[in-house]
Amino acid sequence: MKLTVIGGGGVRSMFLAKSLAQRSKELGISELVFMDNNETKLNIYGKMAQKTALLINPLLSFTLTTDAKAAVENADYVITTIREGGDEMRVKDERIALSLGVLGQETTGVAGFSFAIRSVNVLAEYCEFIRKYAKSECKVFNFTNPAGVVSQTLRDMGYDFTYGICDAPSSMLNSFARLYGKNEGAVKGEVYGLNHLSFFSSITLDGKEIMPDLIENDEAYEKTDMRYFEKDLLRERNCILNEYLYYFYYREKALENILKAEKTRGEQILEINRKMTEELKEIDIENDFNKALEIFEKGYGERENNYMASETGVRRKGTWKFDMFSPDSGGYAGVALKFIEISRSNKTDSMILCVPNNGAIKGLYDTDVVEITCDITKNSVTPHKFDKVDEQNLEIIRRVKIYERLASKAIREKSVKTAVEALTLHPLVNSYSIAKKLVKEYLALNSDYTKDWK
């Protein structure tokens, strides 16, 4: 089996390589290709990923390349995780929003619209390569942000072999397993909503419902990403919230915290990645991998401990280490691998995935891409049905979904008018006048991508 990663020079490539290599024999993965059009980063983070994978499984064929055609040729599966425009453009995306008093978070916030303008058409080009050169049954797992808008737009463009993946729901479930002293996978959840806007209606441990206990568990608010919410809110909602719902339920706090912070999240990552990359350029990764790993652990550990810290005022604690031989849930690679595991077996199992709604959540279109618990078989993906969705939860889901639909239409039709409509309806904007300013600024910022917008 050949698995290709487009964006294989990204900072998180080692995590992908670790997860893929650890399960390669079990799942029959014989060939890995990490492709990136940034040769400098491919020769740093791609090489570190390659070294990691081959230390775990020396029998793997592992290739680094800048050639997209060669990368996807005869591929069985492809993971896309690109950052078109780099960290520098993320900073500008966020700062434009903040200058207008709007949250600029790049997945749930309006900065994601700017990112999607850059990323969608590049991903569509890769999808055309995949359609032409990969195996006919090839599946594409998209992790490129903003995953909700991107996944919706790719499906709207006819790329029905694409699935949105996110490790936020599975990471939260695994944190609950650790909280109860259980192995990862012991805790399962019923999830409905959108990417970074999803709700757990049920959480079970070894088949027993534990959500009411979790909501009342003080320790969960210290050791898991329930830390971003007040207990009263979860009691009132009677569900566990995806951590990114913090930006909606605590909008003014998030905005105030970011504006008071010395740096935005994008600026933090730009600074950390730039410093880490410059240091790693001086290292012979093949012959001094331990030194490279030491630099990486320091830089990435800083990223992890500052996750959502500017927005919430809550900083994660602990020393971060990369242990390539320890088992883990695999992050977003783990989501893709779970799909591969189930679909290649003769069993039906469930997992959380971004797929077309197809009647699962009443009040949404069948074609709306939702983040939801699905039953997976060798030949099918069927979202679980949620007939009785809390009307308050449904209201925020519908509002953001209308934004995503319109954002998809604006990008596909290159329409300024539709872009303004989309951002006007975004709950974190909710203003026609601000939406017009945002669209004008983002089209100017992305002028290399928007010359033919009207």
Side-chain angles (χ1 to χ4, degrees), residues 38-55:
N38 185 323
E39 196 165 1
T40 299
K41 291 181 70 178
L42 188 66
N43 283 325
I44 296 173
Y45 301 107
K47 276 189 177 178
M48 293 180 75
Q50 184 181 49
K51 182 76 172 178
T52 297
L54 294 178
L55 284 170

Side-chain angles (χ1 to χ4, degrees), residues 129-371:
F129 271 106
I130 291 162
R131 183 176 271 165
K132 188 172 182 180
Y133 299 112
K135 290 183 180 175
S136 59
E137 66 276 14
C138 180
K139 300 288 189 295
V140 175
F141 303 106
N142 175 64
F143 190 69
T144 299
N145 277 325
V149 173
V150 170
S151 298
Q152 183 67 58
T153 312
L154 291 177
R155 282 279 177 163
D156 289 343
M157 295 171 97
Y159 301 117
D160 58 0
F161 48 83
T162 60
Y163 297 87
I165 59 173
C166 181
D167 55 344
S170 57
S171 294
M172 183 169 274
L173 291 174
N174 288 330
S175 73
F176 296 152
R178 291 191 294 273
L179 184 69
Y180 286 92
K182 298 289 186 176
N183 293 328
E184 292 183 351
V187 175
K188 297 186 181 298
E190 288 292 321
V191 172
Y192 68 89
L194 310 177
N195 177 248
H196 286 185
L197 195 94
S198 54
F199 302 81
F200 288 91
S201 64
S202 169
I203 296 175
T204 59
L205 172 61
D206 295 330
K208 180 184 176 183
E209 182 62 55
I210 61 167
M211 194 167 70
D213 178 68
L214 269 172
I215 290 174
E216 299 301 324
N217 189 332
D218 290 338
E219 201 175 3
Y221 295 86
E222 297 174 6
K223 296 183 177 179
T224 78
D225 283 341
M226 284 169 58
R227 62 172 63 87
Y228 304 125
F229 304 103
E230 294 167 271
K231 188 181 290 188
D232 283 348
L233 173 62
L234 300 192
R235 283 172 175 160
E236 187 269 327
R237 290 290 80 232
N238 192 31
C239 62
I240 304 293
L241 308 178
N242 183 296
E243 69 256 38
Y244 284 86
L245 277 161
Y246 171 83
Y247 296 105
F248 294 90
Y249 287 109
Y250 299 89
R251 178 174 56 86
E252 79 292 345
K253 288 185 178 180
L255 183 60
E256 181 184 3
N257 287 337
I258 293 170
L259 290 172
K260 285 196 306 188
E262 184 181 343
K263 300 181 183 75
T264 63
R265 175 66 173 165
E267 287 163 346
Q268 289 174 355
I269 288 177
L270 173 63
E271 184 178 295
I272 292 166
N273 287 354
R274 185 178 283 165
K275 182 181 178 185
M276 185 165 62
T277 301
E278 287 302 314
E279 289 184 39
L280 288 169
K281 278 182 183 177
E282 306 301 316
I283 304 296
D284 181 346
I285 290 168
E286 182 61 36
N287 296 307
D288 199 0
F289 182 62
N290 287 336
K291 179 62 177 176
L293 197 57
E294 181 184 318
I295 294 168
F296 180 83
E297 286 178 336
K298 181 181 177 184
Y300 200 85
E302 191 176 345
R303 276 181 54 146
E304 282 293 288
N305 284 336
N306 281 295
Y307 176 72
M308 287 184 74
S310 295
E311 300 94 325
T312 65
V314 179
R315 194 173 186 272
R316 289 177 174 180
K317 299 176 182 178
T319 302
W320 187 85
K321 300 290 288 182
F322 179 75
D323 182 354
M324 71 183 70
F325 297 109
S326 66
D328 66 7
S329 60
Y332 60 94
V335 180
L337 290 170
K338 179 72 171 175
F339 184 98
I340 294 170
E341 175 192 349
I342 299 170
S343 62
R344 292 177 70 85
S345 73
N346 293 318
K347 300 176 182 177
T348 300
D349 204 347
S350 64
M351 62 178 293
I352 301 161
L353 206 59
C354 294
V355 299
N357 182 51
N358 287 332
I361 304 173
K362 290 183 178 179
L364 297 182
Y365 296 170
D366 286 349
T367 53
D368 285 339
V369 172
V370 294
E371 183 170 87

Side-chain angles (χ1 to χ4, degrees), residues 418-435:
T418 308
V420 173
E421 289 176 0
L423 291 182
T424 298
L425 283 169
H426 195 299
L428 299 180
V429 180
N430 205 33
S431 164
Y432 176 69
S433 56
I434 293 175

